[in-house]
């Protein structure tokens, strides 16, 4: 990753070593933007044109629904929607119906794809790490199965790091070209600004 010029060599080394110790990918440097990014005007059109083709229905990969702010805020789940080995009914996880708040979704096993714990102009959210992985390795490798057991349903950055180490060609959007610099910059700026909703 490119580091900002003001970041000292010691701080850069500390960031990279910290990522190595945790098994998580290093945080991504966010491109700077001169304007504020809005969810409805800027972010949602990108999600609608690049993401919801896969992430919009009940059996979306990781149950991550990107067609609404509530869906992206809810995050993803490692629990498969369909399972031929399941003997008992599973509690449903229908967006807008089975939980109403972020806290309720966390209680149902959904993990954030938006949370960022990196400092300064960096972001280490699962969403941005997956978009960045696609930019590093633009060619998708492998078959897509919506209910595969080894999808990128990472509940933590450590899990994501292990997944990307094993499958470096499975960044998002899987099977499609990487986001353009403009699209990527808008999403990264939105995340850096604290992911304000509509």
């Amino acid at each position: 990753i490119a580091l900002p010029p003001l970041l000292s060599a010691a701080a850069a080394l500390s960031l990279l070593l910290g990522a190595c110790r945790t098994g998580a990918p290093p945080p991504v440097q966010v491109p700077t933007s001169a304007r504020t990014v809005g969810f409805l005007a800027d972010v949602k059109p990108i999600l609608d044109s690049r993401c919801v083709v896969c992430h919009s229905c009940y059996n979306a990969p990781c149950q991550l629904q990107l067609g609404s702010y509530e869906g992206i805020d809810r995050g993803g789940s490692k629990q498969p929607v369909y399972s031929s080995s399941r003997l008992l009914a599973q509690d449903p996880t229908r967006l807008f119906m089975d939980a109403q708040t972020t806290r309720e979704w966390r209680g149902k096993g959904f993990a954030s794809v938006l949370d960022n714990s990196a400092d300064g102009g960096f972001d280490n959210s699962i969403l941005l790490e997956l978009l960045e992985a696609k930019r590093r390795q633009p060619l998708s490798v492998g078959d897509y199965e919506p209910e595969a057991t080894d999808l990128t349903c990472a509940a933590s950055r450590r899990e994501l790091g292990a997944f990307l180490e094993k499958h470096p060609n499975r960044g998002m959007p899987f099977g499609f070209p990487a986001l353009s610099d403009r699209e990527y910059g808008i999403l990264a700026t939105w995340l850096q600004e604290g992911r304000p909703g509509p």
Side-chain angles (χ1 to χ4, degrees):
I1 57 176
L3 297 174
L6 298 177
L7 190 61
S8 70
L13 183 60
S14 173
L15 276 172
L16 293 174
L17 289 176
C20 293
R21 280 194 303 273
T22 64
V28 177
Q29 183 180 6
V30 175
T32 56
S33 174
R35 67 181 184 93
T36 301
V37 173
F39 180 79
L40 291 176
D42 302 305
V43 174
K44 190 168 186 326
I46 296 170
L47 298 176
D48 288 348
S49 67
R50 298 302 313 275
C51 305
V52 300
V53 66
C54 295
H55 291 279
S56 62
C57 55
Y58 287 128
N59 69 334
C62 307
Q63 297 187 55
L64 178 59
Q65 294 188 19
L66 301 178
S68 67
Y69 181 80
E70 292 81 2
I72 194 171
D73 181 63
R74 172 177 82 162
S77 171
K78 297 172 80 164
Q79 184 68 40
V81 176
Y82 305 111
S83 173
S84 60
S85 63
R86 184 180 297 135
L87 297 176
L88 301 174
Q90 176 179 316
D91 288 339
T93 53
R94 298 163 296 182
L95 192 60
F96 303 112
M97 296 177 73
D98 298 311
Q100 301 302 318
T101 66
T102 305
R103 174 182 244 164
E104 289 174 346
W105 285 118
R106 298 297 172 264
K108 290 182 175 287
F110 282 78
S112 174
V113 296
L114 302 176
D115 285 350
N116 173 31
S117 61
D119 294 326
F122 289 85
D123 190 288
N124 62 9
S125 65
I126 288 174
L127 177 66
L128 196 61
E129 296 284 1
L130 286 168
L131 296 175
E132 178 66 19
K134 180 67 172 194
R135 290 165 64 88
R136 285 192 307 268
Q137 299 281 341
L139 181 63
S140 298
V141 174
D143 295 328
Y144 171 76
E145 300 172 42
E147 287 295 314
T149 57
D150 64 344
L151 286 176
T152 322
C153 301
S156 71
R157 294 189 63 250
R158 179 180 292 249
E159 287 182 12
L160 178 61
F163 177 85
L164 290 175
E165 186 175 320
K166 183 178 175 185
H167 305 289
N169 296 88
R170 293 207 187 164
M172 293 294 153
F174 184 77
F176 294 96
L179 268 60
S180 69
D181 290 344
R182 179 190 157 279
E183 293 167 330
Y184 180 86
I186 288 172
L187 292 184
T189 301
W190 175 70
L191 289 166
Q192 188 67 33
E193 291 175 349
R195 61 197 190 269

